[in-house]
Amino acid sequence: AVVSTQSTGNNGKGCVFSYDPVGSYERESYRACGSASAIIQPLLDNQLGYKNQSNVDPTPLSRDRVRNMVRDIFAAASERDIYTGDEVEISIIDAKGVETQRFPLRSD
């Protein structure tokens, strides 16, 4: 599964572009795709998109918070999706370059 949580748009606001097999595309703030996307996307919707939450202030999340959240979401998905591997590779791309980290998901 691949999770894209941010990219820089023309106005400096984060975005990603998702596409489907037909070739349609859409600008979004985050998106999951791959075998575990049905597991990951609802968690992203709730935790990053603040969907289905009451009395929550949708404040911007820190880089560390998002990194930890994505790692935890992949750990949860790896327990239910046999095609999700044993580790997650998270790359953060910004004006300074690319920072990549790998985290183990399961050890069985």
Side-chain angles (χ1 to χ4, degrees):
V2 174
V3 174
S4 299
T5 58
Q6 198 174 80
S7 177
T8 303
N10 290 342
N11 61 0
K13 186 176 181 181
C15 68
V16 294
F17 290 91
S18 64
Y19 62 93
D20 62 24
V22 179
S24 299
Y25 63 93
E26 183 178 2
R27 181 183 174 140
E28 301 176 286
S29 297
Y30 55 88
R31 174 58 59 195
C33 64
S35 64
S37 63
I39 299 167
I40 293 172
Q41 190 63 46
L43 295 170
L44 293 175
D45 287 342
N46 182 265
Q47 295 297 303
L48 291 178
Y50 297 103
K51 294 182 181 176
N52 298 316
Q53 293 189 36
S54 300
N55 302 319
V56 175
D57 181 26
T59 58
L61 300 171
S62 71
R63 179 178 290 195
D64 287 337
R65 176 73 178 116
V66 172
R67 178 188 299 118
N68 291 337
M69 185 184 306
V70 169
R71 183 188 66 216
D72 291 345
I73 289 171
F74 267 88
S78 73
E79 295 297 324
R80 297 288 179 192
D81 179 61
I82 62 171
Y83 300 108
T84 298
D86 293 334
E87 70 178 19
V88 61
E89 181 177 289
I90 299 174
S91 296
I92 298 173
I93 304 167
D94 62 15
K96 297 177 186 175
V98 179
E99 173 193 343
T100 300
Q101 291 180 296
R102 292 177 179 222
F103 300 97
L105 296 176
R106 56 184 169 208
S107 58
D108 57 350

